[in-house]
Amino acid sequence: MEKSLVALRESSAAQQYNIAEAWLAAFAGALEQRDYIRVAAMMHSDGYWRDLLTFGWEFKTLHGVDKVQSWLTETFDAQAGRTFRLEGQPTVGAIGEHGATLEFFFRFETSIAHGRGYARLVEEARSVDLKAFTLLTTMHELKKFPQATARNRPREDLRIASCQPENWADRRSAARRYRDRDPEVVVIGGGQSGLMLAARLGQIGVDTLVIEKTRRVGDVWRNRYHSLQLHNEICMNHFAYMPFPENWPVFIPKDKLANWLEFYAEAMEINVWTNTTFLGGQYDDGEKRWTVRLGLADGTTRTMRPSHVVVAVGVSGIPSIPKFDGMDEFGGAIVHSSENTDGFDVAGRSVLVVGAGTSGHDIAQSLYGRGAHVTMLQRSSVTVVSLEPSSVRPYELYRRNDGVRPIADTDLMAASVPYPLLARLHQPLSRQMMEDDKELLAGLRKVGFLLDNGEDDTGYFLKLLRYQAGYYLNIGASDLIIEGKIKLKAGVEIAELKPKQVIFSDGTSLVTDIVVLATGYKPLQEWVRAMFGDDIADRVGPIWGIGEDGELCAMYARTGQEGFYVSGGGLPGARAYSHFTALLIKAALEGLLPARSATRSEASGERREGPKRAGHASAQELQRIG
Ligand SMILES: Cc1cc2nc3c(=O)[nH]c(=O)nc-3n(C[C@H](O)[C@H](O)[C@H](O)COP(=O)(O)OP(=O)(O)OC[C@H]3O[C@@H](n4cnc5c(N)ncnc54)[C@H](O)[C@@H]3O)c2cc1C
């Protein structure tokens, strides 16, 4: 296990393989002997180990040798890992201040699961051995319940099948009717998150019903404004099991994506009830079942008793609609961005767009294109980056690997960088973006646009991960603002409305026909409160944001409420982490998941879930974790 990564760059593939293999063998040997001091010493002193479900049933980020050692001492015996072996050929890369890394995938087992991992070895001062700067261990599948994919595809005995009265179509239609049975899982919301999770659950034999309130799967995208195309590139947006066709465009138009969602649901044999709205639910702690009420297309109500519910309602929870004095006297249209703004005849009319996030910018641009006189009202600062070269920098890995590696491998590589480290890496990266975008930003500043670079100088990408808000990737609206084609009113609020007039907090006013409120949505916890009541909302706690433990709050993982999960977010997150939510649900259904109070880390009081996990990490806390 020689050091010198500089030499490593020039070394042969065989030498790189040998170094990685030797490190992994030493690591496995130390783990087998329960020599956690030695294991921890194989980590870089500034290193991160992230474990997704293998050695405990949670998402865990550990930073530094001491944390790793005490965590292993506490958790490893319960689910010991063994038979670590290298997978594929190591590569040489770089991360942050480490100019050369030796990176490799590996496989391993626990008593109940097959695992996959990814490691980045780097040099450490005063050490002759390479150390792990990042180490990811993840549950790949439960041994007893492998995915029905590839060589494990379902295979029917055709001689028997040919004699059966029902064919595949008959069975599919019976399965989705739920006439005389209830599903094990009800997923609320048939957007990309709900569908990908349902597809994954289906592969491991979990009976899942997705309910979707709109008329057709994909309507959530169809109903968004006319001009919308995905803002990030296709390379990171593929769906689980079904990557997009090779000839699809880089930026996917919203209606094309909508149709794909519908096609995906059909191809993945997902049971979806459209025109079906979730009305509310309660949990029976004794029976460990939910009672959920669904409003059906024909106006009737169906009650079901699943053991799990998953909230996948995306941002379509409760729109945040501010109230203004004089709203009744205004006389013009006031619409929220969640409503369709395409129907308005806006040519030659004056429109005020309230809000300067992505929706505010996109709607302002679309209205301008349709001949409106648009003013954008910006209350507080926003992070703006160019589409190229800046917005793509954070997902360079996906660009590089598109069509080269399976997307599941790239997802593992991405997941191996925990959020606190990501925040660290994004400080210099976002400063580079500001440098690259200096002309754009100077132009915006000149017209008074309020800019920031994120709460801890981490730029747009961390805002996206933490809040899904507060940034704009410039697809042209910034240029229109700089050129004065979209007017700007910054740093003020609406004081009151008068007939066809808006009065701002600085005393100025604007004559306007239409007000579009691009003011976002209430926190998802409020949707949970409205649907499930205070107790459950408080147990689940805040949703989204990075918690004090360096992991997302209440997303994809177990929440403080038994049998309750939340899925959502952009396509990459929904794809990568639905894998783990599905495993957790399957483990619970098969009696493999210990009750929350019985998990070892819970017993030690270390985990902060539900009411105990009430806050997001501040920028300073993240620095501390990182
Ligand atoms: C303008 C815009 C541009 C975006 N661009 C990108 C991009 O480029 N890349 C990217 O990855 N992401 C992008 N996003 C983010 C995108 O919204 C999310 O990625 C995605 O929509 C979230 O998926 P989801 O499945 O979690 O939620 P959604 O897509 O919002 O789906 C939630 C579903 O739940 C349904 N639902 C809600 N309430 C109920 C209920 N009570 N009962 C039954 N069903 C219900 C809704 O009808 C909807 O179909 C963009 C978002 C917007 C608004």
Short mmCIF file of all heavy atoms in Angstrom, two decimals, residues 188-194 211-214 220-221 224-225 228 230-232 237 276-278 312-316 358-359 362 527 531 567-572, ligand 1:
data_model
loop_
_atom_site.label_atom_id
_atom_site.label_comp_id
_atom_site.label_asym_id
_atom_site.label_seq_id
_atom_site.Cartn_x
_atom_site.Cartn_y
_atom_site.Cartn_z
N ILE A 188 -48.60 8.90 -1.69
CA ILE A 188 -49.46 10.05 -2.02
C ILE A 188 -48.70 10.94 -2.99
O ILE A 188 -47.70 11.57 -2.63
CB ILE A 188 -49.81 10.86 -0.75
CG1 ILE A 188 -50.34 9.92 0.34
CG2 ILE A 188 -50.82 11.95 -1.07
CD1 ILE A 188 -50.31 10.56 1.73
N GLY A 189 -49.14 10.96 -4.23
CA GLY A 189 -48.49 11.79 -5.24
C GLY A 189 -47.84 10.95 -6.33
O GLY A 189 -46.97 10.12 -6.05
N GLY A 190 -48.29 11.15 -7.56
CA GLY A 190 -47.76 10.38 -8.70
C GLY A 190 -46.86 11.22 -9.56
O GLY A 190 -46.92 11.17 -10.79
N GLY A 191 -45.99 12.03 -8.95
CA GLY A 191 -44.93 12.72 -9.69
C GLY A 191 -43.75 11.77 -9.80
O GLY A 191 -43.84 10.57 -9.49
N GLN A 192 -42.61 12.31 -10.20
CA GLN A 192 -41.45 11.43 -10.41
C GLN A 192 -41.04 10.68 -9.15
O GLN A 192 -40.66 9.50 -9.21
CB GLN A 192 -40.27 12.25 -10.94
CG GLN A 192 -39.63 13.14 -9.91
CD GLN A 192 -39.33 14.52 -10.45
OE1 GLN A 192 -39.81 14.90 -11.49
NE2 GLN A 192 -38.53 15.26 -9.74
N SER A 193 -41.13 11.34 -7.97
CA SER A 193 -40.67 10.70 -6.74
C SER A 193 -41.57 9.53 -6.37
O SER A 193 -41.08 8.44 -6.06
CB SER A 193 -40.68 11.69 -5.57
OG SER A 193 -39.97 12.82 -5.91
N GLY A 194 -42.87 9.77 -6.40
CA GLY A 194 -43.81 8.71 -6.05
C GLY A 194 -43.68 7.54 -7.00
O GLY A 194 -43.70 6.37 -6.59
N ILE A 211 -51.50 7.21 -5.35
CA ILE A 211 -52.69 8.01 -5.67
C ILE A 211 -52.26 9.38 -6.17
O ILE A 211 -51.30 9.97 -5.68
CB ILE A 211 -53.65 8.13 -4.46
CG1 ILE A 211 -52.96 8.78 -3.27
CG2 ILE A 211 -54.23 6.78 -4.08
CD1 ILE A 211 -53.94 9.48 -2.38
N GLU A 212 -52.97 9.83 -7.18
CA GLU A 212 -52.59 11.08 -7.85
C GLU A 212 -53.86 11.90 -8.06
O GLU A 212 -54.83 11.42 -8.63
CB GLU A 212 -51.92 10.75 -9.18
CG GLU A 212 -51.73 11.90 -10.14
CD GLU A 212 -51.02 13.10 -9.50
OE1 GLU A 212 -49.95 12.92 -8.89
OE2 GLU A 212 -51.56 14.22 -9.61
N LYS A 213 -53.81 13.14 -7.60
CA LYS A 213 -55.06 13.92 -7.61
C LYS A 213 -55.43 14.46 -8.99
O LYS A 213 -56.58 14.79 -9.24
CB LYS A 213 -54.99 15.05 -6.59
CG LYS A 213 -54.04 16.17 -6.93
CD LYS A 213 -54.09 17.26 -5.88
CE LYS A 213 -53.11 18.37 -6.23
NZ LYS A 213 -53.00 19.39 -5.19
N THR A 214 -54.45 14.56 -9.89
CA THR A 214 -54.79 15.12 -11.21
C THR A 214 -55.38 14.03 -12.11
O THR A 214 -55.40 12.86 -11.78
CB THR A 214 -53.54 15.72 -11.89
OG1 THR A 214 -52.57 14.69 -12.05
CG2 THR A 214 -52.96 16.86 -11.07
N VAL A 220 -48.89 17.22 -13.43
CA VAL A 220 -48.16 18.21 -12.62
C VAL A 220 -47.16 18.97 -13.49
O VAL A 220 -46.94 20.17 -13.30
CB VAL A 220 -47.49 17.53 -11.39
CG1 VAL A 220 -46.40 16.57 -11.82
CG2 VAL A 220 -46.94 18.56 -10.42
N TRP A 221 -46.59 18.30 -14.47
CA TRP A 221 -45.67 18.99 -15.39
C TRP A 221 -46.45 19.67 -16.52
O TRP A 221 -46.14 20.79 -16.90
CB TRP A 221 -44.64 18.01 -15.97
CG TRP A 221 -43.59 17.65 -14.98
CD1 TRP A 221 -43.53 16.52 -14.22
CD2 TRP A 221 -42.44 18.43 -14.60
NE1 TRP A 221 -42.43 16.54 -13.40
CE2 TRP A 221 -41.74 17.71 -13.61
CE3 TRP A 221 -41.93 19.67 -14.99
CZ2 TRP A 221 -40.56 18.17 -13.01
CZ3 TRP A 221 -40.77 20.13 -14.39
CH2 TRP A 221 -40.10 19.39 -13.42
N ARG A 224 -47.67 23.07 -15.60
CA ARG A 224 -46.71 24.16 -15.34
C ARG A 224 -46.62 25.04 -16.57
O ARG A 224 -47.04 24.66 -17.65
CB ARG A 224 -45.34 23.58 -14.95
CG ARG A 224 -45.40 23.03 -13.52
CD ARG A 224 -44.13 22.38 -13.06
NE ARG A 224 -44.31 21.91 -11.69
CZ ARG A 224 -43.59 20.96 -11.11
NH1 ARG A 224 -42.61 20.37 -11.77
NH2 ARG A 224 -43.83 20.60 -9.87
N TYR A 225 -46.03 26.22 -16.42
CA TYR A 225 -46.12 27.22 -17.48
C TYR A 225 -45.52 26.74 -18.80
O TYR A 225 -44.61 25.92 -18.84
CB TYR A 225 -45.50 28.56 -17.02
CG TYR A 225 -44.14 28.40 -16.41
CD1 TYR A 225 -43.00 28.38 -17.22
CD2 TYR A 225 -43.99 28.23 -15.05
CE1 TYR A 225 -41.77 28.20 -16.69
CE2 TYR A 225 -42.74 28.05 -14.49
CZ TYR A 225 -41.64 28.03 -15.32
OH TYR A 225 -40.40 27.84 -14.79
N LEU A 228 -41.78 25.99 -20.03
CA LEU A 228 -40.84 25.28 -19.15
C LEU A 228 -40.14 24.09 -19.81
O LEU A 228 -40.77 23.25 -20.45
CB LEU A 228 -41.61 24.79 -17.90
CG LEU A 228 -40.82 23.96 -16.90
CD1 LEU A 228 -39.66 24.73 -16.31
CD2 LEU A 228 -41.71 23.44 -15.78
N LEU A 230 -36.77 21.42 -18.49
CA LEU A 230 -35.92 21.16 -17.32
C LEU A 230 -34.69 22.07 -17.40
O LEU A 230 -34.16 22.31 -18.49
CB LEU A 230 -35.50 19.71 -17.25
CG LEU A 230 -36.57 18.71 -16.81
CD1 LEU A 230 -35.95 17.33 -16.60
CD2 LEU A 230 -37.26 19.15 -15.53
N HIS A 231 -34.27 22.55 -16.22
CA HIS A 231 -33.16 23.52 -16.20
C HIS A 231 -31.81 22.82 -16.08
O HIS A 231 -30.79 23.43 -16.27
CB HIS A 231 -33.31 24.47 -15.01
CG HIS A 231 -34.49 25.38 -15.11
ND1 HIS A 231 -35.65 25.00 -15.73
CD2 HIS A 231 -34.69 26.64 -14.69
CE1 HIS A 231 -36.51 26.00 -15.67
NE2 HIS A 231 -35.95 27.01 -15.04
N ASN A 232 -31.84 21.58 -15.65
CA ASN A 232 -30.55 20.87 -15.64
C ASN A 232 -30.56 19.79 -16.71
O ASN A 232 -31.61 19.42 -17.25
CB ASN A 232 -30.20 20.33 -14.25
CG ASN A 232 -31.35 19.56 -13.64
OD1 ASN A 232 -32.17 19.02 -14.37
ND2 ASN A 232 -31.40 19.48 -12.33
N ASN A 237 -30.91 13.28 -15.00
CA ASN A 237 -32.36 13.18 -14.76
C ASN A 237 -32.98 11.84 -15.13
O ASN A 237 -34.20 11.70 -15.07
CB ASN A 237 -33.07 14.30 -15.52
CG ASN A 237 -32.77 15.66 -14.90
OD1 ASN A 237 -32.50 15.74 -13.71
ND2 ASN A 237 -32.79 16.70 -15.70
N THR A 276 -57.62 10.96 -7.78
CA THR A 276 -57.82 10.46 -6.41
C THR A 276 -57.03 11.35 -5.46
O THR A 276 -55.83 11.55 -5.65
CB THR A 276 -57.33 9.00 -6.31
OG1 THR A 276 -58.08 8.22 -7.24
CG2 THR A 276 -57.51 8.45 -4.90
N THR A 277 -57.72 11.87 -4.48
CA THR A 277 -57.08 12.83 -3.57
C THR A 277 -56.96 12.25 -2.17
O THR A 277 -57.89 11.60 -1.69
CB THR A 277 -57.91 14.13 -3.52
OG1 THR A 277 -58.05 14.60 -4.84
CG2 THR A 277 -57.22 15.21 -2.69
N PHE A 278 -55.83 12.51 -1.57
CA PHE A 278 -55.64 12.08 -0.17
C PHE A 278 -56.40 13.04 0.73
O PHE A 278 -56.24 14.25 0.65
CB PHE A 278 -54.15 12.10 0.16
CG PHE A 278 -53.86 11.57 1.52
CD1 PHE A 278 -53.90 10.21 1.77
CD2 PHE A 278 -53.57 12.43 2.56
CE1 PHE A 278 -53.65 9.72 3.04
CE2 PHE A 278 -53.31 11.95 3.83
CZ PHE A 278 -53.35 10.58 4.07
N ALA A 312 -45.37 12.02 -1.17
CA ALA A 312 -44.55 12.40 -2.34
C ALA A 312 -45.27 13.48 -3.12
O ALA A 312 -45.41 13.40 -4.33
CB ALA A 312 -44.28 11.16 -3.21
N VAL A 313 -45.75 14.49 -2.38
CA VAL A 313 -46.57 15.53 -3.01
C VAL A 313 -45.73 16.68 -3.54
O VAL A 313 -46.26 17.67 -4.03
CB VAL A 313 -47.65 16.07 -2.05
CG1 VAL A 313 -48.62 14.97 -1.66
CG2 VAL A 313 -47.03 16.70 -0.80
N GLY A 314 -44.42 16.54 -3.47
CA GLY A 314 -43.53 17.53 -4.07
C GLY A 314 -43.73 18.91 -3.50
O GLY A 314 -44.00 19.08 -2.31
N VAL A 315 -43.58 19.88 -4.38
CA VAL A 315 -43.78 21.25 -3.93
C VAL A 315 -45.26 21.63 -4.00
O VAL A 315 -45.63 22.75 -3.70
CB VAL A 315 -42.96 22.24 -4.77
CG1 VAL A 315 -41.49 22.13 -4.48
CG2 VAL A 315 -43.24 22.05 -6.25
N SER A 316 -46.07 20.66 -4.44
CA SER A 316 -47.48 21.00 -4.66
C SER A 316 -48.28 20.92 -3.37
O SER A 316 -49.45 20.59 -3.39
CB SER A 316 -48.10 20.06 -5.68
OG SER A 316 -47.14 19.38 -6.40
N THR A 358 -36.91 30.83 -9.09
CA THR A 358 -36.96 30.24 -10.44
C THR A 358 -38.31 30.47 -11.10
O THR A 358 -38.38 30.92 -12.25
CB THR A 358 -36.67 28.73 -10.35
OG1 THR A 358 -35.34 28.57 -9.87
CG2 THR A 358 -36.79 28.06 -11.70
N SER A 359 -39.39 30.21 -10.39
CA SER A 359 -40.72 30.39 -10.99
C SER A 359 -40.95 31.84 -11.35
O SER A 359 -41.48 32.14 -12.43
CB SER A 359 -41.81 29.91 -10.04
OG SER A 359 -41.69 28.54 -9.84
N ASP A 362 -38.98 32.59 -14.49
CA ASP A 362 -39.49 31.92 -15.68
C ASP A 362 -40.83 32.50 -16.12
O ASP A 362 -41.08 32.69 -17.31
CB ASP A 362 -39.65 30.41 -15.40
CG ASP A 362 -38.31 29.69 -15.42
OD1 ASP A 362 -37.28 30.35 -15.66
OD2 ASP A 362 -38.29 28.46 -15.21
N TRP A 527 -48.19 20.72 5.41
CA TRP A 527 -49.09 19.83 4.67
C TRP A 527 -49.33 18.57 5.51
O TRP A 527 -50.47 18.10 5.63
CB TRP A 527 -48.46 19.46 3.31
CG TRP A 527 -49.39 18.71 2.41
CD1 TRP A 527 -50.25 19.25 1.50
CD2 TRP A 527 -49.57 17.29 2.36
NE1 TRP A 527 -50.95 18.25 0.86
CE2 TRP A 527 -50.55 17.03 1.38
CE3 TRP A 527 -49.01 16.21 3.02
CZ2 TRP A 527 -50.97 15.75 1.05
CZ3 TRP A 527 -49.44 14.93 2.71
CH2 TRP A 527 -50.41 14.70 1.73
N MET A 531 -52.96 17.19 7.02
CA MET A 531 -53.50 15.88 6.61
C MET A 531 -53.48 14.83 7.72
O MET A 531 -54.30 13.92 7.75
CB MET A 531 -52.68 15.33 5.43
CG MET A 531 -52.87 16.09 4.16
SD MET A 531 -54.55 15.87 3.56
CE MET A 531 -54.75 17.36 2.63
N SER A 567 -40.79 11.45 0.36
CA SER A 567 -39.91 11.36 -0.80
C SER A 567 -40.15 12.59 -1.65
O SER A 567 -41.24 13.14 -1.65
CB SER A 567 -40.23 10.08 -1.57
OG SER A 567 -39.24 9.85 -2.53
N GLY A 568 -39.16 13.01 -2.38
CA GLY A 568 -39.37 14.20 -3.20
C GLY A 568 -38.08 14.74 -3.76
O GLY A 568 -37.05 14.06 -3.75
N GLY A 569 -38.17 15.97 -4.23
CA GLY A 569 -36.96 16.64 -4.69
C GLY A 569 -36.74 16.50 -6.18
O GLY A 569 -37.59 15.98 -6.91
N GLY A 570 -35.59 16.98 -6.61
CA GLY A 570 -35.25 16.89 -8.03
C GLY A 570 -35.08 15.45 -8.45
O GLY A 570 -35.05 14.53 -7.62
N LEU A 571 -34.96 15.25 -9.73
CA LEU A 571 -34.88 13.88 -10.25
C LEU A 571 -33.71 13.07 -9.70
O LEU A 571 -33.89 11.91 -9.33
CB LEU A 571 -34.83 13.93 -11.78
CG LEU A 571 -36.21 14.21 -12.39
CD1 LEU A 571 -36.11 15.09 -13.62
CD2 LEU A 571 -36.91 12.92 -12.72
N PRO A 572 -32.49 13.64 -9.59
CA PRO A 572 -31.38 12.80 -9.10
C PRO A 572 -31.61 12.29 -7.68
O PRO A 572 -31.38 11.11 -7.39
CB PRO A 572 -30.17 13.74 -9.15
CG PRO A 572 -30.56 14.84 -10.06
CD PRO A 572 -32.03 14.98 -9.98
C1 LIG B 1 -40.41 25.60 -12.78
C2 LIG B 1 -39.75 24.39 -12.26
C3 LIG B 1 -38.62 23.89 -12.90
C4 LIG B 1 -37.98 22.77 -12.41
N1 LIG B 1 -36.88 22.27 -13.05
C5 LIG B 1 -36.30 21.13 -12.59
C6 LIG B 1 -35.20 20.53 -13.25
O1 LIG B 1 -34.71 21.02 -14.24
N2 LIG B 1 -34.68 19.38 -12.75
C7 LIG B 1 -35.20 18.80 -11.65
O2 LIG B 1 -34.72 17.76 -11.24
N3 LIG B 1 -36.22 19.37 -10.99
C8 LIG B 1 -36.77 20.51 -11.44
N4 LIG B 1 -37.81 21.07 -10.78
C9 LIG B 1 -38.20 20.57 -9.49
C10 LIG B 1 -39.38 19.67 -9.67
O3 LIG B 1 -40.56 20.21 -9.21
C11 LIG B 1 -39.21 18.59 -8.82
O4 LIG B 1 -38.03 18.02 -9.31
C12 LIG B 1 -40.33 17.61 -8.97
O5 LIG B 1 -41.48 18.11 -9.55
C13 LIG B 1 -40.60 17.03 -7.66
O6 LIG B 1 -41.12 15.76 -7.92
P1 LIG B 1 -42.09 15.15 -6.92
O7 LIG B 1 -42.54 13.86 -7.48
O8 LIG B 1 -41.47 15.15 -5.58
O9 LIG B 1 -43.28 16.19 -6.85
P2 LIG B 1 -44.27 16.70 -7.99
O10 LIG B 1 -43.69 16.57 -9.34
O11 LIG B 1 -44.73 18.03 -7.54
O12 LIG B 1 -45.45 15.64 -7.89
C14 LIG B 1 -46.30 15.58 -6.76
C15 LIG B 1 -47.59 14.93 -7.20
O13 LIG B 1 -48.43 14.81 -6.06
C16 LIG B 1 -49.76 15.09 -6.44
N5 LIG B 1 -50.49 15.46 -5.23
C17 LIG B 1 -50.32 16.55 -4.45
N6 LIG B 1 -51.18 16.54 -3.42
C18 LIG B 1 -51.90 15.42 -3.53
C19 LIG B 1 -52.98 14.85 -2.77
N7 LIG B 1 -53.48 15.45 -1.66
N8 LIG B 1 -53.51 13.68 -3.17
C20 LIG B 1 -53.03 13.08 -4.29
N9 LIG B 1 -52.04 13.57 -5.05
C21 LIG B 1 -51.48 14.73 -4.68
C22 LIG B 1 -49.60 16.22 -7.45
O14 LIG B 1 -50.71 16.34 -8.29
C23 LIG B 1 -48.35 15.78 -8.20
O15 LIG B 1 -48.65 15.01 -9.32
C24 LIG B 1 -38.48 22.16 -11.26
C25 LIG B 1 -39.63 22.66 -10.64
C26 LIG B 1 -40.26 23.75 -11.13
C27 LIG B 1 -41.49 24.26 -10.45
#
